[in-house]
Amino acid sequence: MLFFDPPLFQLINASASSPAWLVPAARWASEWLPGLCLLALVIGLVLPGKDSRRYWQPSIKKALLSMALAWLICRLIRWGLPMPRPAQLGMGQQWIAHGRSSSFPSMHAAGAFALAQSLSLSLWALRGLKGVQGEQGYPRWLPLLVWLLAGAVALSRVVLGVHFPSDILAGLLVGSFSAICVWLCAWRSALWLEQRWKKDEILEAYLNLAGFRGEMQGVAAMSRGLFGKWPDGLDEQEAALAAALLRAPNAAPSVAAQRAVDQRERALVRH
């Protein structure tokens, strides 16, 4: 317990004079909101479609890895630095049943903030990328919503009297650190690949795995499925359309056609 915990805890912890809606709302945020978020992640992992496999699923996997790392770090800290909960010190009002496990750091907060930080990094990496979420990319308010939900989960633990504010702060640091570590590992893996593969080898591997319209994967499948020929038989117009679909596999036909025209014109100008 840190010096600021007693006054902040007394300020946030619900009491008999608190509004009637506060404790039920905190219980919902503490007990149901994390499960709903995990359910959304699982649905995202099994969601069909090339856009899902191309954009959503790698981000979700990083988020789950970040949460798992945060859980492990919390367990290690609790083992090495056991701290009592407010009720064990006779402080405040505890509104839910809870064991006498160590309080520091909050695992609810660590998991929630690991998810928020990881998804924020994903949204930042995909910012403005057309074809990810409509034509304008992700809405700018989405990262703010993710952090607000994480804050609601974390704050509910203090409202319900099972954590001190310092437990929440430590959960924030552990969760954010875990997400950043996972993303740095992913970045180092990409850098390792770039250092050991030639540019044309990376491009060839990407084109063989890239998702195109529907369930088609790879340039050969796209060429055979859309044009009835192998890639080396495509003419300039067909190649331009294939390049447009690579950017946004499920774009409307009119949009893909216009992008193909624009790309062909730019190629002619460069030549």
Side-chain angles (χ1 to χ4, degrees), residues 236 240 260-271:
E236 291 184 359
V261 172
D262 295 341
Q263 289 180 355
R264 190 183 179 199
E265 290 178 352
R266 287 195 295 268
L268 292 175
V269 170
R270 286 196 296 267
H271 287 74

Side-chain angles (χ1 to χ4, degrees), residues 25-235:
R27 282 178 173 170
W28 184 86
S30 177
E31 297 173 359
W32 288 96
L33 188 54
L36 292 175
C37 291
L38 285 175
L39 178 61
L41 293 179
V42 172
I43 292 175
L45 280 178
V46 300
L47 200 65
K50 291 298 181 182
D51 283 349
S52 174
R53 288 197 290 270
R54 186 177 184 183
Y55 302 118
W56 286 99
Q57 292 180 4
S59 299
I60 292 174
K61 291 176 182 177
K62 291 187 183 73
L64 291 174
L65 284 175
S66 300
M67 295 171 69
L69 179 58
W71 177 86
L72 177 61
I73 294 175
C74 285
R75 296 294 295 182
L76 291 174
I77 294 176
R78 288 186 174 193
W79 173 76
L81 188 64
M83 299 291 288
R85 295 184 181 271
Q88 295 175 261
L89 299 177
M91 296 180 60
Q93 178 68 42
Q94 183 172 309
W95 293 92
I96 58 174
H98 203 287
R100 300 173 64 87
S101 59
S102 178
S103 172
F104 182 87
S106 168
M107 298 185 73
H108 275 71
F113 287 121
L115 175 60
Q117 181 69 73
S118 183
L119 291 182
S120 296
L121 289 171
S122 296
L123 297 176
W124 176 82
L126 298 174
R127 66 194 186 283
L129 184 59
K130 296 181 178 180
V132 180
Q133 180 69 23
E135 287 299 305
Q136 301 301 323
Y138 287 106
R140 294 185 177 181
W141 49 263
L142 190 54
L144 177 60
L145 175 62
V146 172
W147 280 98
L148 286 176
L149 292 177
V153 172
L155 191 62
S156 70
R157 306 298 286 175
V158 183
V159 172
L160 296 174
V162 293
H163 279 292
F164 288 111
S166 60
D167 302 335
I168 304 304
L169 177 60
L172 167 63
L173 296 176
V174 169
S176 299
F177 172 78
S178 301
I180 293 172
C181 284
V182 170
W183 269 82
L184 285 177
C185 289
W187 175 76
R188 289 294 300 271
S189 298
L191 185 62
W192 178 89
L193 180 64
E194 185 178 8
Q195 291 174 343
R196 284 158 178 78
W197 283 27
K198 298 179 181 178
K199 298 293 185 181
D200 55 347
E201 292 175 335
I202 296 176
L203 177 61
E204 181 181 358
Y206 172 71
L207 292 177
N208 287 332
L209 296 173
F212 287 89
R213 208 164 195 83
E215 294 298 317
M216 292 180 291
Q217 184 174 14
V219 173
M222 176 277 301
S223 181
R224 295 285 293 175
L226 294 182
F227 306 110
K229 60 180 74 173
W230 292 105
D232 56 3
L234 298 180
D235 58 29

